[in-house]
Amino acid sequence: MSRLLSSRWLKRCLALVLGLVLGVGAAQLTGLAQDPPAVWEVGTEPAFPPFEMKDEATGELIGFDIELMTAMGEAAGREVKFIALPFDGLIPALQSNTISAAISGMTITAERAQTIDFSRPYFEAGLAIAVQESNSDIQSLADLAGKRIAVQIGTTGAEQAGEVEGATVSTFDSAPLALQELLNGRVDAVVNDLPATLFAINDANIQGIKIVGELVTEEYYGIALPKNSADLAAMNTAIDTLLQDGTYAEIYRRWFSADPPELPLVAPALADATTATGLNWGRLFQNLMRGAWVTIWLTAASFFFGLIGGSLVAFAMISPIKPLRLLCRIYVDFFRGTPMLVQLFMIYFGLPALFQSMGLDISFNRIFAAIFALSLNVAAYLAEILRGGIQSIDRGQWEAGESLAMNPVETMRYVIFPQAFRRILPPLGNEFITLIKDTSLAAVIGFEELFRQGQLTVATTYRAFEVYLAVAIVYLVMTSLASFAFKRLEAYMDPINRPKKAPKEPLPSAVEV
Ligand code: ARG
C-alpha cells in the first residue's frame, strides 16, 4: 500500500515538475517572440506646474513635460500612458521596472545616474530661492544659514537646503505645499526650481512671494529610465527629432513665452565625481530611532489630550442638556466621518490661510497642528467608546450606589467607572494602536516622525524595500509593546483573576459584577 502510494506520489510530483518546466519555457518563448511593448508607461508627479499638472476643468494631465512626452511617443510610434506617482517614488518605481520611464522635471544628477539612466537633457533649469515679499535680508544661498527652509522631498532643492549651515529644513510631498508653508509665514524661504516657482507667482497668482536668488544652480532635466533600458535610444532619437523639426520650440514657446535655449548633448552634472549613495545601516538605524522617538511622544501627547477631550465629550453626550448633546454629536460625527489626512491639511494649511485672508496674522507650528489634529480625531473616537462603556453599566448599579447613600459623583467614581473602565479597555487599546500608526500621517506636514525618516532615507539612497521594511518592523515593535501593555492592564483590572498582591485598603463597597 505504502509503495503504491509513494509511486503514485512520485508520478504526480514528476508530472508537476514537467508541467512547470514546460509552462515556464513556453512563457519564455512567447515572451521572446513578442515585440517590445508598444506602450510607454511614464511616471510623473502631477503637482509641478508648468511641467505637469491636472487641468482644473477637465482633470486631464497637462504641462510642458506632458506635451513633450506625448509628442515623443508620436515620433517614436509608441503609445504613451501617464501614471501619477509621488516624486520621491519615481526612482524606486523605475528600479523595480513598474514604469518604463519618468518625466517629472527631474534634474540629471550624477548620484541619480548611478541608479537609473537619463535621456539627453530636454530642459535647462536651476534652483531659485523664494521668500516673502517683505523679507529683505535673504539674497543668496549663504544668507539662508540658520534660517527655516521648506522644500519638496527628494528634490535637488532639498539637497541644496540640506547643505546650508544651521538651517532647519522641512520637507513636503509637493512643491506647492512648500510654497504654501512660505505663504503662511512658517518658513523664511523655499528652495525650488526657478521655472516652477516663477509659474506659481506669475500664472497661479500666488501673492506675497518674490524670487531673490535666481538660478543658484545650473540644472538640466532629463527623462529617467530604468538602468540599461532598451527604450533609451528611442527616447533620445525622439527628442532629437522634436528639436530638429521645431516641435520642441513650438511647445516651449507656448509654455514659457520665450525661445528655447541651446541644449547640451550631455548634462554637465554627469561629469562630476560622485559619492556612492549606498545604504548606511548604522545611519538608518539612528534615523529610525530618532523618528520612533517623535512617533512615541506624538502618540503619547495626542492620546493624553484625546483622553481628556474624549471624557469631556462623553460626559456631555450623556448629560441632560440637549443642545450640548447635539453639539457633541456633530463634533464626533465630523471627526469620525472625515479622513484624518483631510483634517490635518485643514488645520495646518487651511486655517492659517483663512486667518491670513481675514487679515489676522495667526499661524501655528507643526507640533501644535499635529497634536491638535490627532487629539481632536482621537477624542471623537474615545468619546464614543467612553460613552458606550458608561451606558453599558446596568441601571441597577446606580440604584445600588444610591442605596448606599452615595451621591452621583461617588457612584460614578466608585461603582460605575471601575466597571465601565474594564469594558472600555480593549477598544481603548485598539484606539491607541491605531493612533501609533496614524501618526505617520503627520509626515505630510513635514513632521519627521518614523515614516518620514524612512522616506527621507529612500529619497537619497533609493533602497525602498529594505528601508520601508525596517520602518514597518519598528512600528510592529511599538504596536506589539502597546498591545502587551494593554493586556497586562486588563489582567490587572480583573478583580477575580488579578495577579495576587498584598491586599490594599478596601474601596468603599465597590460593587463588581
Ligand atoms: N528638478 C528638481 C529635481 O529633480 C525638482 C523636480 C520636482 N519635480 C516634480 N514633479 N515635483 O530634484
Side-chain angles (χ1 to χ4, degrees), residues 44-48 51-52 65 87 90 103-109 112 125 127 152-158 173-176 192-193 219-221:
T44 187
E45 189 249 350
F48 199 59
F51 295 95
E52 38 267 327
D65 282 356
F87 186 70
L90 289 173
I103 188 160
S104 211
M106 191 186 286
T107 303
I108 303 174
T109 70
R112 289 175 179 161
L127 295 175
Q152 184 186 6
I153 190 169
T155 58
T156 44
D173 288 332
S174 74
N192 186 33
D193 297 37
E219 300 186 359
Y220 288 94
Y221 294 166

Side-chain angles (χ1 to χ4, degrees), residues 103 120 209 239 253 288 377 385 407 411 467 512:
I103 188 160
R120 61 160 296 174
I209 287 183
I239 298 178
R253 277 192 211 103
L288 292 190
N377 188 279
I385 294 174
N407 64 29
T411 311
V467 175
E512 309 265 14

